[in-house]
Amino acid sequence: MNALPFIVEIALYFAGLSLVAIGGASAVIPDLYRHLVQTNAWMTGQEFAALIALAQAAPGPNVLIVALLGWKLAGIPGGLAALLGMCVPSSVLTYHFAGLWMRLEGTSIRNLTQAVLVPVTIGLVLASSFLLVRAADHSALAYCATAVVALLAIKTKLHPLVLLAGAGGLGAAGVL
Amino acid sequence: MTFRTASVSRLDIFKAFVAIGAVSFGGAQPWARRKLVEQKGWITSDEFAELLGLGQVLPGPNVVNLSIMVGRRFQGALGAFLAVSGLLLVPVVVVFGLAAIYAQFGSLPVARQAFNGVAVGTAGLIAAMAVKMLQKHQRSWQSWCLVALAFATAGLLAWPLWIVLLALTPIGACLVRWGKL
């Protein structure tokens, strides 16, 4: 495979995703999994899960997940292609349409859009969580650990990094 | 939302967003709020919530969208560009550094198991985010239906995202309208 077209292919996939990425990076994990792991087999489910885990160790918005996935496909150029592809189309759209959306405040079309898109986004985010455990080298205990982390994150003010470190420690100890 | 003519320079914007990006572990939203609302006072708390809500219904990364709108308000297109590049500058460097370390050690069994554990934990954090969103949203049987349909089509049936949205938007609109009759 010639290097340049593959970079372009990466950028184009993420650019397309950018324009439908309602709910941000956490809502596109199901599509990333489908495209990168299931359809094209460019990486294994475990590698996919590990890269998403790795992205949590860096500061910054969740969109950096795509930079790491792109990096896995084609090194740093692949990472930059993925990140730019994911950010540029939606940014241009946001730049031009933000004002329009604000003017629609209180109109029925805006209320209807919100009433539909918010629950759909929530379903997508839940699907992301589910696919991530499934992609990891999972046991029944892993699902339990996911549920415990979720509960602690909802009920306590523990820092997310503390929870991730705990889960990582359990993993390294071979418990999960 | 009122557009005040606060004098925030391009350099101010860039510096503030570099600072947000550099420290924002565990998602950038709370850090962006802290810097823009609490420390700088460039936007009010309500404006922040409004911009974030907007970032949620528009496609694309939420905090990137927020940065675009804040940068644009004070310095137009260049401000928007500076805000996003500032936000991503440090994290991109860090993330590629981590990638290099991962390439070196990622295949060691202990590292693999640790990453596995972190991935399982990450799944928990993502699930928690979904639950918190659900708590803030008005729950009705229609919204439960949409949550379940989105989960099933994207998570279990592995439909491409654009097909999920194309299918669920009209279904959702009908459900919501029907609920009002």
Side-chain angles (χ1 to χ4, degrees), chain B residues 34-52:
Chain B
R34 200 173 123 96
K35 176 62 90 181
L36 298 173
V37 178
E38 291 166 20
Q39 293 180 346
K40 297 284 185 190
W42 289 346
I43 53 176
T44 68
S45 182
D46 280 355
E47 286 169 339
F48 183 85
E50 187 176 356
L51 292 179
L52 201 59

Side-chain angles (χ1 to χ4, degrees), chain A residues 119-146:
Chain A
V120 168
T121 302
I122 294 170
L124 292 173
V125 174
L126 280 176
S128 298
S129 168
F130 167 72
L131 287 177
L132 198 50
V133 198
R134 215 181 59 178
D137 187 12
H138 60 281
S139 59
L141 262 183
Y143 285 102
C144 296
T146 298

Side-chain angles (χ1 to χ4, degrees), chain B residues 8-85:
Chain B
V8 178
S9 75
R10 287 165 190 165
L11 188 63
D12 287 339
I13 292 174
F14 188 69
K15 279 190 338 204
F17 278 92
V18 169
I20 294 170
V23 296
S24 54
F25 287 96
Q29 290 179 14
W31 300 97
R33 187 179 182 283
R34 200 173 123 96
K35 176 62 90 181
L36 298 173
V37 178
E38 291 166 20
Q39 293 180 346
K40 297 284 185 190
W42 289 346
I43 53 176
T44 68
S45 182
D46 280 355
E47 286 169 339
F48 183 85
E50 187 176 356
L51 292 179
L52 201 59
L54 199 53
Q56 209 175 51
V57 286
L58 289 169
N62 297 346
V63 180
V64 170
N65 282 345
L66 177 94
S67 310
I68 295 275
M69 292 184 277
V70 172
R72 176 192 175 175
R73 177 201 286 202
F74 295 112
Q75 290 288 343
L78 189 59
F81 173 77
L82 287 172
V84 175
S85 4

Side-chain angles (χ1 to χ4, degrees), chain A residues 46 49-50 53 136-139 142 164-176, chain B residues 102 105-121:
Chain A
Q46 272 190 56
D137 187 12
H138 60 281
S139 59
L164 291 183
L170 286 179
V175 177
L176 300 180
Chain B
Y102 173 77
F105 300 107
S107 54
L108 293 175
V110 169
R112 237 195 12 240
Q113 286 181 327
F115 277 124
N116 226 16
V118 177
V120 166

Side-chain angles (χ1 to χ4, degrees), chain A residues 17-24 26 28-31 34 38 46-47 49-54 56-64 67-68 71 76 79-80 83 86-87 90-91 93-96 98 101-102 105 112 114-133 136-137 142 145-146 149-150 153-154 160-161 163-164 167-168 171-172 174 176, chain B residues 1 3 21-28 31 50-51 53-54 56-65 68-69 72 76-77 80 87-88 90-92 94-96 98-100 102-103 110 112-135 137 143 146-147 150-151 154-156 158-162 164-165 168-169 172-173 176-177:
Chain A
L17 200 55
S18 173
L19 290 175
V20 289
I22 287 162
S26 302
V28 299
I29 288 176
D31 201 78
R34 178 192 63 80
Q38 294 181 318
Q46 272 190 56
E47 287 169 331
L51 289 169
I52 288 178
L54 189 60
Q56 311 304 312
N62 290 332
V63 67
L64 286 163
L68 271 178
W71 167 83
I76 289 181
L80 292 176
L83 189 62
M86 188 70 187
C87 288
S90 62
S91 293
L93 193 76
T94 295
Y95 187 85
H96 289 288
W101 182 258
M102 279 173 195
E105 169 103 53
L112 186 67
Q114 229 148 8
V116 172
L117 288 183
V118 174
V120 168
T121 302
I122 294 170
L124 292 173
V125 174
L126 280 176
S128 298
S129 168
F130 167 72
L131 287 177
L132 198 50
V133 198
D137 187 12
T146 298
V149 169
I154 295 163
L161 285 180
L163 295 170
L164 291 183
L176 300 180
Chain B
M1 186 155 93
F3 284 77
V23 296
S24 54
F25 287 96
W31 300 97
E50 187 176 356
L51 292 179
L54 199 53
Q56 209 175 51
V57 286
L58 289 169
N62 297 346
V63 180
V64 170
N65 282 345
I68 295 275
M69 292 184 277
R72 176 192 175 175
L87 178 75
L88 295 175
V90 176
V92 164
V94 174
V95 96
F96 285 135
L98 287 172
Y102 173 77
V110 169
R112 237 195 12 240
Q113 286 181 327
F115 277 124
N116 226 16
V118 177
V120 166
T122 304
L125 293 184
I126 293 177
M129 188 171 86
V131 172
K132 284 179 190 166
M133 287 165 76
L134 208 51
Q135 286 171 340
H137 185 66
S143 58
L146 288 173
V147 170
F151 179 84
L156 303 176
W159 287 7
L161 183 56
W162 67 273
V164 172
L165 290 173
L168 292 195
T169 306
V176 171
R177 279 284 159 90

